[in-house]
Amino acid sequence: MNRKRFAQSIVVMSLTLALGFSYAEEPYLTLFYKGNLAEKNQIVKDAAEAGDGSIALQSLDFSISAYGALHGESEFITLAETSVKALTAGNTPGKEKEAAEKLRSVFKLFSEPQIKIAVLDAFSVFQAPENLFLVNDFFYEKMQNSADIDEALLKAVLYMGSYGNAASFNMLFIADILDVWPSYSKILANAYGSLADGSEKEILQLLATVPAERKIIILEKLSSNPKIAKKICGEAAENVLSSVIYSMEGSQDDSSGMQTELMLASLQIISDANWTRASKMATSCFDALRSGYESGSISDEAFSNAIADIASVASADTAKVLSSYLDFLNRSTEKKQPPAKAVVLSVINSLGELGDKNAFDCLLYATYLDYPEEVILSAKSALAKLKW
């Protein structure tokens, strides 16, 4: 008998608890339907504070269905915002998908920045692939129209940076390189920098379609972004350098300004990234750069830097190419036509770092010529570094 009574007591307690919860939910919903906009707003807040997010869902339904009739009412806008925020504060077990769908509907309907911001915050809780598609579309439309940036658009950029995909990267990156919002370049760069690791294909496709002046901007944006891996920068620079070499083949104007600028920029990034995969290609640029330098289209400093960049990712042929050039500089010095100090120093120092013993003769000869003392000392130092 005791066991039977105990079992009956458990049943009664269970029913009591169930009815209690039912009564706790019903007044909120009843009051919500009966109340005016201000009262509805307070009821949604109270329910959320009590851990009940279902009223927020009902309120979102109301906000969506009544949008056409009440959108001009400030209290209606406030209710929609409160409902979105309450949804994340309350508890909606098993209704996450439904909540995400309603949030997307609200995002599409309401143009007010404060509501879009609230929805974007809620998307972080009620995640779904469709959320990102919607935010990407929102950003793209704003970019296409060069709309002024407001807090909602900034929030969308941050959301894309945190939850974005390759399409998000592409849009953010294009907006930056096209200077759609120049004052917000750092924010855009921070967002797409987080997405670059999965967007190598998009970067290379973009490089293949834009004119030369845009390629330079892309390389600068990539190399200056601390979030973007050196591997990605190196691969992009290699791609650009390859296209420059191809376009210059058979051309009589090997030193055309934009192509030369692209070549120099690519070499610097390849060097910074230690992208040795492009070593042979880098060395193959030397003759074109030398031609540009001797025609006066490349400065002493730029040519010197390019020599060092080529040597930093040296191929098997690099020492031979630079040794041959130092031999030429030595003979020019013999003829009282000394090269720029920066250039000869770059060649000598590079040969020293490479340590190829085949550079011995030209380096030794440099120590006997009428070079500045700094050049002679550098040649002696390079000789000491050769590997035998």
Side-chain angles (χ1 to χ4, degrees):
M1 289 294 293
N2 289 338
R3 289 184 180 179
K4 184 177 180 180
R5 288 178 181 174
F6 178 77
Q8 289 174 339
S9 299
I10 293 295
V11 171
V12 171
M13 287 176 63
S14 299
L15 288 172
T16 302
L17 287 171
L19 289 171
F21 284 131
S22 173
Y23 290 143
E25 289 177 7
E26 187 174 350
Y28 284 129
L29 191 56
T30 302
L31 291 171
F32 177 81
Y33 283 125
K34 289 180 178 180
N36 58 32
L37 291 176
E39 290 167 343
K40 282 178 167 59
N41 187 65
Q42 188 58 51
I43 291 161
V44 171
K45 287 182 180 179
D46 291 344
E49 288 175 4
D52 182 0
S54 66
I55 305 303
L57 278 175
Q58 295 291 336
S59 184
L60 287 181
D61 271 338
F62 172 78
S63 299
I64 293 165
S65 62
Y67 179 85
L70 298 177
H71 183 239
E73 300 288 334
S74 61
E75 288 184 337
F76 179 70
I77 303 301
T78 300
L79 174 62
E81 182 184 1
T82 298
S83 302
V84 172
K85 291 179 177 178
L87 196 61
T88 60
N91 188 20
T92 54
K95 296 191 175 182
E96 290 79 10
K97 184 177 179 180
E98 179 186 349
E101 289 174 355
K102 294 185 192 305
L103 287 168
R104 289 194 294 274
S105 296
V106 170
F107 191 88
K108 292 175 186 176
L109 273 177
F110 289 82
S111 59
E112 288 75 13
Q114 67 270 31
I115 293 183
K116 290 193 179 295
I117 290 169
V119 172
L120 286 164
D121 284 334
F123 277 166
S124 300
V125 177
F126 299 96
Q127 296 184 29
E130 295 84 358
N131 297 352
L132 179 61
F133 300 152
L134 181 61
V135 178
N136 281 350
D137 287 345
F138 170 69
F139 179 86
Y140 183 73
E141 182 182 352
K142 296 291 186 181
M143 180 178 70
Q144 287 287 89
N145 297 326
S146 297
D148 291 339
I149 281 196
D150 59 14
E151 292 299 318
L153 186 52
L154 281 176
K155 192 73 174 182
V157 169
L158 296 177
Y159 181 86
M160 292 165 75
S162 297
Y163 300 98
N165 54 15
S168 309
F169 171 87
N170 216 29
M171 293 179 213
L172 292 164
F173 194 45
I174 288 172
D176 194 23
I177 65 175
L178 293 181
D179 266 345
V180 178
W181 298 293
S183 299
Y184 296 90
S185 179
K186 287 185 178 180
I187 294 174
L188 291 169
N190 188 60
Y192 67 68
S194 301
L195 307 173
D197 279 351
S199 306
E200 294 94 331
K201 179 182 175 183
E202 283 68 25
I203 293 170
L204 297 181
Q205 286 177 341
L206 192 57
L207 282 169
T209 58
V210 298
E213 58 271 17
R214 292 292 179 193
K215 284 183 171 67
I216 290 175
I217 293 172
I218 289 172
L219 290 179
E220 290 174 348
K221 294 289 186 183
L222 292 174
S223 61
S224 63
N225 194 318
K227 287 190 170 184
I228 297 180
K230 293 293 185 183
K231 173 184 177 296
I232 293 174
C233 297
E235 189 171 4
E238 179 188 5
N239 183 275
V240 171
L241 188 57
S242 176
S243 69
V244 171
I245 292 171
Y246 178 79
S247 68
M248 292 176 72
E249 285 180 356
S251 172
Q252 297 300 312
D253 187 17
D254 285 348
S255 59
S256 59
M258 189 56 67
Q259 298 292 351
T260 300
E261 191 176 345
L262 267 176
M263 188 178 287
L264 293 170
S266 299
L267 286 171
Q268 182 180 350
I269 293 171
I270 285 169
S271 174
D272 290 344
N274 194 30
W275 193 244
T276 54
R277 196 176 79 177
S279 59
K280 188 173 181 180
M281 188 185 300
T283 298
S284 72
C285 294
F286 181 81
D287 287 342
L289 292 170
R290 176 180 174 179
S291 176
Y293 174 64
E294 291 175 352
S295 69
S297 63
I298 300 178
S299 68
D300 295 343
E301 181 182 6
F303 188 45
S304 301
N305 290 337
I307 290 168
D309 291 338
I310 291 170
S312 72
V313 289
S315 70
D317 298 327
T318 307
K320 181 180 178 181
V321 169
L322 294 183
S323 295
S324 176
Y325 187 56
L326 179 57
D327 183 58
F328 166 78
L329 297 180
N330 288 342
R331 285 185 281 109
S332 297
T333 302
E334 271 190 314
K335 297 174 183 177
K336 305 302 180 185
Q337 297 174 341
K341 185 171 75 169
V343 172
V344 71
L345 276 174
S346 184
V347 176
I348 288 173
N349 290 334
S350 295
L351 286 170
E353 292 303 316
L354 293 174
D356 192 314
K357 63 183 180 181
N358 292 311
F360 176 80
D361 289 341
C362 60
L363 286 171
L364 180 62
Y365 191 35
T367 64
Y368 296 116
L369 294 173
D370 190 21
Y371 279 123
E373 183 65 20
E374 183 181 355
V375 173
I376 294 172
L377 289 174
S378 293
K380 291 179 179 178
S381 176
L383 282 167
K385 294 179 180 178
L386 297 184
K387 299 167 186 174
W388 297 90

